Amino acid sequence: MASTSKSGDSRRLYQQVADQIRAVIEQNGFVPGSRLPPERELASQLGVSRPSLREALIALEIEGRIEIRMSSGVYVCAAPEPSNTDVQSLGESPSELMQARAVLEGSVVSLAAARANRQGVERVRACLDAMRHEVQRGQSPVDADRRFHVAIAELTGNSILARLVGELFDGRHGAISSRMSRHSETARTWESALQEHERICQALESRDPQEATAAMLSHLKASRARWIGESSAGSDDEHA
């Protein structure tokens, strides 16, 4: 089901959906400690996509209006005191970030493969090795992951593309994105990501733009599924 925003409302979609969930809580008399309907039912009731619903639930959890209990459900909390926190500080929509990354990096990696030189590809390989080392140590390889994607963009010789790739990657540090990452990132998911990065690196080493594009898009699609599509956000009817 596609998510739509209200006409004339320029706010991020998850903010609009969060408002709808607040209205459901108030209009249906959900008291603190009560459990909201399962995610699938709530998304259908509101007419929104499940990724948008998840983002809105994370926003409400940060606000203190609900509590997400993994493998249990979403529970209503007492209405929080008014806060000076700017809603904009919650950051971009994770699903929109991943869509933007796929559009940009799918094209960037193709150009990178066509223009690749030995030294540049070796830098990409070094970033992947650093990622693998961090995972083996039980540490988050996010910094090395960022360097990997930026190093690919640098192969194009276009500094603007490299900057844009870095800026989009940094969107993951917003409040909503960071909270979703804590729900979804595990050693197992990073092992899967390493395999996907390896395929990208091999395509660059082979100077194969078509394979590089396929590998990058496959990686970003899988990453989105791990981060957004498969994150249960506390719903008891989802364990993909």
Side-chain angles (χ1 to χ4, degrees):
M1 179 186 301
S3 298
T4 58
S5 60
K6 296 178 182 179
S7 177
D9 194 337
S10 61
R11 296 175 307 156
R12 294 177 176 89
L13 182 57
Y14 68 75
Q15 295 170 257
Q16 300 174 40
V17 177
D19 284 348
Q20 292 179 267
I21 298 172
R22 289 190 196 93
V24 168
I25 292 173
E26 294 170 4
Q27 293 169 7
N28 291 274
F30 285 103
V31 298
S34 59
R35 183 178 180 277
L36 289 180
E39 185 179 290
R40 181 178 283 108
E41 179 182 332
L42 192 56
S44 177
Q45 178 182 340
L46 298 178
V48 300
S49 70
R50 295 173 78 176
S52 294
L53 179 70
R54 292 187 184 106
E55 293 173 8
L57 290 172
I58 292 292
L60 291 174
E61 183 182 44
I62 293 171
E63 179 185 294
R65 193 67 181 88
I66 63 169
E67 179 186 0
I68 297 173
R69 302 177 190 173
M70 301 306 293
S71 301
S72 176
V74 179
Y75 294 82
V76 176
C77 300
E81 294 295 325
S83 171
N84 293 324
T85 302
D86 182 0
V87 177
Q88 300 296 327
S89 67
L90 295 182
E92 302 293 350
S93 157
S95 57
E96 290 186 2
L97 277 173
M98 293 308 295
Q99 182 181 51
R101 286 188 62 189
V103 171
L104 178 63
E105 294 191 57
S107 298
V108 165
V109 76
S110 176
L111 183 59
R115 296 182 175 179
N117 57 61
R118 183 178 58 81
Q119 285 186 324
V121 173
E122 287 177 352
R123 284 196 296 271
V124 175
R125 171 62 69 180
C127 294
L128 178 54
D129 290 342
M131 284 184 66
R132 186 173 289 109
H133 179 66
E134 290 299 301
V135 171
Q136 291 171 347
R137 293 176 60 237
Q139 302 296 318
S140 171
V142 169
D143 289 343
D145 189 8
R146 183 188 192 279
R147 295 196 302 273
F148 177 90
H149 287 273
V150 172
I152 290 173
E154 289 173 342
L155 285 173
T156 67
N158 187 313
S159 62
I160 296 175
L161 290 176
R163 173 170 57 80
L164 291 174
V165 167
E167 289 176 355
L168 283 178
F169 189 97
D170 290 340
R172 69 180 290 129
H173 300 306
I176 285 186
S177 296
S178 295
R179 184 70 64 95
M180 292 186 80
S181 294
R182 289 202 295 272
H183 281 309
S184 63
E185 288 181 5
T186 65
R188 182 178 62 82
T189 60
W190 276 115
E191 286 292 346
S192 296
L194 283 174
Q195 295 175 16
E196 294 155 16
H197 283 72
E198 176 64 35
R199 181 186 170 195
I200 296 169
C201 197
Q202 289 178 358
L204 291 171
E205 290 169 341
S206 299
R207 312 298 197 272
D208 187 336
Q210 186 172 354
E211 172 60 19
T213 300
M216 178 64 77
L217 293 179
S218 177
H219 163 56
L220 293 176
K221 180 180 180 180
S223 181
R224 183 184 188 279
R226 287 188 292 266
W227 196 26
I228 302 164
E230 292 181 2
S231 172
S232 66
S235 175
D236 61 353
D237 64 341
E238 262 189 273
H239 297 285

